[in-house]
Amino acid sequence: AAGVIQSPRHLIKEKRETATLKCYPIPRHDTVYWYQQGPGQDPQFLISFYEKMQSDKGSIPDRFSAQQFSDYHSELNMSSLELGDSALYFCASSWTKGEQFFGPGTRLTVL
Amino acid sequence: AQSVAQPEDQVNVAEGNPLTVKCTYSVSGNPYLFWYVQYPNRGLQFLLKYITGDNLVKGSYGFEAEFNKSQTSFHLKKPSALVSDSALYFCAVRDGDSGYSTLTFGKGTMLLVSP
C-alpha cells in the first residue's frame, strides 16, 4: 500500500539559509499535518491543511510557512534557519479528520 | 487543552516476559487514543487506536491496550516481549468531539527488551 512520501530524507543547511520540505500524502487523503521532533523530544504539531486550506495551527514559528497544493501535496518552507531548527520533520496525512499516517520524516541539520 | 503523560522514560523487560508501557491522558471531550512506535532514524509507525467500543484494543505485532475511562489511562501491553520490540513508544490523544484534529503526543517511553 502507498504510504506518505517525504523528500528529501536528509537535508543539511547553514544558519540563515532557507529550506523546503515536501510531503506527498497517501492517495485520496485530503488532510496533511506537519510535526517537528527535536532531539530526544516528542513530536510537536506545527500546522495542518484540509482541502488545500489551513485548518489548524500549532507552534509554527513565523519564519516557517506551508501550503497544500491542488494535487494535495504540501510544502513546508523554512527561512532564516537557526541551529534550533535542527530536527526531524514529520508529515502525516489522513482522510478528513481520521487516523493519521506518518511519513518517514526529513532530518534537517542546521550548521 | 489536551495532554498525555508517559511517566516512565524507560522500561526494561526480559524477552518472553509481559510488558506494560503506561499512558495517562487529559482531554475535555471524548478521547481518541493512539500508540505509535518509532525505531531509530525511522518514522512513526501506527500500532493501535481506541475510538469507541471495547476497552481492550488489539493492534499490530501482538500489542494491545486497555482504555480505562475512570483512570484516564491507555496502557500498552504485550504478553510476551521480543528483543525486536525494543524501540521508542509514543502515546497520543486527540479530542474526538472537537474539530481540532491534531494529535498531542506524550514524551515517549524507551522500551528495552533484553535477551
Side-chain angles (χ1 to χ4, degrees), chain A residues 37-43 86-88 107, chain B residues 9 38 88 90 106-108:
Chain A
Q37 185 181 26
Q41 302 294 314
D42 56 299
S86 295
L88 192 55
R107 184 169 296 282
Chain B
D9 290 336
Q38 185 176 32
L88 186 58
F90 288 99
K107 295 298 182 185

Side-chain angles (χ1 to χ4, degrees), chain B residues 42-53:
Chain B
R42 300 285 294 277
L44 293 166
Q45 295 179 37
F46 169 78
L47 277 180
L48 51 79
K49 66 180 178 184
Y50 171 83
I51 303 296
T52 186

